[in-house]
Amino acid sequence: MTTSWTDRTSLDGSLRDIRKGIEEGRFPARAFNDQHIFDLEQERLFSKAWCFLAHETEIPAPGDYVTRYIGNNNIIVARDEHGQISANLNMCRHRGNLLCKSELGNASHFRCSYHGWIYKNSGELIGVPYMKEGYEGRLKRKDWGLVNVRVDSYAGLVFGCLDPGAPSLEDYLGGFQFYLDFYLKQGTAGSEVHGPPDHWVADTDWKICAENFAGDGYHTPVAHQWGFNLGYFPSSGSTHSQGWAASIPGLGHGIGLGHSPNFPAFGGFPDELVEEMREAFTPEQVEVFSKVRTAVGTVFPNLSFLMQPFSLTPGEPGVRFVTMRLYHPVGPGRMEMYSWCLVPKGASHEYKEAAYQAYTLAFGQAGTFEQDDFENWTKVTRSARSTMVKDLDFPYIMGMESDRDASFRGPGHVVTPYVNDTNFRNLWSRWADYLAGEA
Ligand code: FES
Ligand code: FE
């Protein structure tokens, strides 16, 4: 089947074929590096979906803020003097200057560096130079506040949505919260970020990362083989031929749950946290999570998590670390990566440091596993730009006939084993729905 397109109009026409191809287990290679796809994603996906902005623990005190992106829009996410979190377009309403030029900090107000308009951190315009003499009463401050962005949060994750008509965040997540809790409710106090995110630019399409973290257990024993050989992955022998792939049909979210029968239940967590987690989780979550050694999932479109034990002493469970990552597209085949370490808020200082060390060694900016992945992802992205690629598809036919694992107690469509394309078909199907304007 040809899904070739040469311009925006022919891409619109090809979307029907792309969607049919996904149902049949194919996806166009060129989608991973294409200007028309990038433009359509900005217009129809990132301007419509709920997109991750920040973790609440990044801005714990009044005045704390970070600047992030939804699509190509720079957003200030700030906690006001009443403790409320708001999000506003980082653009002065006078002539459009970038208002806040720092990526994080603390400020009760922002003053524009061009003509000096002043806004509260919640977005209201409160100061205009030469208000009386210049505007002679014609400018109403209440009409020229920052452009507000709809926000909502789940278990510390703050999301923003540019579409006032979009469904609630709760409906958007659609049951995936069950799996997110494994990362976000580590103990009764929940989870927190351990320092600001690692942040770097890569010649990689954001979708390659989103797919990989939606549960690509297939690449792990190959791309990261050295980790097995050196014993950094404790008790990992049968993880990838067992385990589960869980997805929320129609919503794009997916997670791979690796299982090693010989790995201890909740191994790698301190004993006191295990007790707390058993309290914080539902009985169904305890049953599922106690069997899981590795959990790697994507919240559609571009937020991912990985939890994994990492051991510097071969044969021992090591320590569980969690990384949360955001893939911000900046052009076709190019993205900015934000990568955080999440730790249990109630854990000891020693445990948090050990988890951070494991995260840094494996998935920090210079992390060894991170480099394994980006080496492959940049090459995939480069291939996707070549002239011979325009009519080629990739196969997504693993698990086409898989039935739901009826014994599994988590929500969504759950299949076994973990090595499976089911989550990816669901991811691309949702992506195509947005690009076709039918999400
Ligand atoms: Fe900000 Fe003029 S552009 S005050
Ligand atoms: Fe990997």
Side-chain angles (χ1 to χ4, degrees):
M1 175 182 292
T2 297
T3 50
S4 186
W5 57 90
T6 52
D7 55 30
R8 173 61 182 277
T9 307
S10 59
L11 172 57
D12 257 338
S14 297
L15 282 168
R16 199 183 322 115
D17 292 337
I18 292 174
R19 294 169 91 187
K20 186 159 185 292
I22 294 165
E23 275 169 33
E24 293 168 358
R26 295 187 310 277
F27 191 72
R30 186 181 160 197
F32 294 113
N33 195 340
D34 181 88
Q35 184 70 52
H36 303 301
I37 290 278
F38 175 80
D39 293 343
L40 213 55
E41 287 171 350
Q42 294 294 316
E43 187 183 317
R44 295 187 186 167
L45 168 56
F46 290 101
S47 62
K48 300 283 182 193
W50 281 97
C51 298
F52 178 71
L53 283 169
H55 193 279
E56 285 176 5
T57 59
E58 292 185 88
I59 46 173
D64 286 349
Y65 71 84
V66 292
T67 55
R68 296 279 154 74
Y69 283 90
I70 295 181
N72 51 16
N73 305 287
N74 194 226
I75 309 288
I76 303 172
V77 188
R79 194 182 286 271
D80 69 18
E81 60 196 287
H82 307 295
Q84 292 298 311
I85 293 175
S86 62
N88 291 288
L89 182 65
N90 187 9
M91 185 196 79
C92 176
R93 294 299 305 281
H94 177 234
R95 291 291 185 270
N97 191 21
L98 187 72
L99 181 64
C100 174
K101 298 192 170 90
S102 303
E103 288 194 6
L104 61 110
N106 184 286
S108 58
H109 299 78
F110 298 104
R111 180 176 181 271
C112 180
S113 62
Y114 198 178
H115 308 92
W117 282 24
I118 298 171
Y119 303 84
K120 285 173 95 166
N121 61 6
S122 47
E124 298 100 310
L125 176 65
I126 57 156
V128 176
Y130 300 102
M131 180 74 170
K132 275 197 192 119
E133 306 88 321
Y135 286 105
E136 299 171 329
R138 281 193 290 274
L139 185 103
K140 302 279 178 274
R141 278 194 290 252
K142 67 174 177 42
D143 294 338
W144 298 99
L146 299 181
V147 178
N148 188 249
V149 174
R150 184 179 170 195
V151 289
D152 200 353
S153 64
Y154 177 74
L157 305 179
V158 180
F159 291 82
C161 182
L162 306 184
D163 179 6
S168 67
L169 177 64
E170 187 180 0
D171 288 348
Y172 181 87
L173 294 174
F176 201 59
Q177 295 94 322
F178 177 99
Y179 301 105
L180 289 177
D181 287 353
F182 199 20
Y183 308 112
L184 303 172
K185 295 185 178 173
Q186 293 181 20
T188 45
S191 304
E192 65 183 4
V193 295
H194 195 73
D198 291 316
H199 185 193
W200 68 94
V201 174
D203 286 325
T204 300
D205 190 87
W206 68 274
K207 295 189 291 301
I208 298 169
C209 311
E211 172 186 294
N212 181 282
F213 272 73
D216 187 331
Y218 198 32
H219 82 296
T220 315
V222 181
H224 306 301
Q225 188 182 36
W226 67 272
F228 289 82
N229 294 346
L230 295 179
Y232 288 152
F233 289 133
S235 309
S236 53
S238 51
T239 292
H240 301 89
S241 57
Q242 301 192 21
W244 303 268
S247 56
I248 308 297
L251 296 185
H253 319 305
I255 188 168
L257 301 166
H259 169 58
S260 293
N262 54 345
F263 192 73
F266 292 112
F269 290 117
D271 292 342
E272 65 277 15
L273 272 186
V274 173
E275 286 312 306
E276 282 193 25
M277 285 193 285
R278 288 183 187 279
E279 278 176 43
F281 296 144
T282 65
E284 291 79 12
Q285 286 176 315
V286 170
E287 183 180 321
V288 170
F289 299 158
S290 62
K291 293 179 191 153
V292 170
R293 195 191 65 90
T294 300
V296 57
T298 290
V299 178
F300 184 85
N302 61 340
L303 173 71
S304 294
F305 294 86
L306 167 72
M307 176 197 287
Q308 182 173 301
F310 185 83
S311 177
L312 289 173
T313 311
E316 293 191 1
V319 61
R320 296 244 196 174
F321 69 87
V322 173
T323 173
M324 173 174 80
R325 46 232 356 251
L326 181 72
Y327 321 115
H328 166 230
V330 294
R334 194 163 166 81
M335 60 167 235
E336 278 185 321
M337 168 76 114
Y338 293 75
S339 174
W340 295 258
C341 175
L342 282 186
V343 294
K345 227 184 225 177
S348 66
H349 176 72
E350 290 70 28
Y351 179 82
K352 290 177 185 178
E353 285 299 308
Y356 184 65
Q357 184 185 24
Y359 153 77
T360 303
L361 288 168
F363 281 97
Q365 187 166 0
T368 47
F369 293 70
E370 194 74 77
Q371 294 187 42
D372 294 339
D373 286 329
F374 271 99
E375 170 62 15
N376 291 301
W377 295 342
T378 53
K379 299 300 187 296
V380 173
T381 307
R382 194 181 299 172
S383 299
R385 197 167 52 217
S386 82
T387 50
M388 286 177 70
V389 159
K390 70 181 172 56
D391 294 329
L392 301 180
D393 291 336
F394 293 133
Y396 285 81
I397 50 178
M398 276 194 200
M400 289 290 282
E401 312 296 334
S402 298
D403 291 326
R404 190 186 195 283
D405 180 350
S407 65
F408 189 88
R409 297 186 70 193
H413 185 66
V414 185
V415 296
T416 187
Y418 169 28
V419 174
N420 206 296
D421 287 337
T422 305
N423 287 8
F424 310 143
R425 286 192 298 275
N426 184 47
L427 180 76
W428 297 139
S429 164
R430 181 66 158 159
W431 172 87
D433 287 348
Y434 271 100
L435 260 60
E438 294 173 17

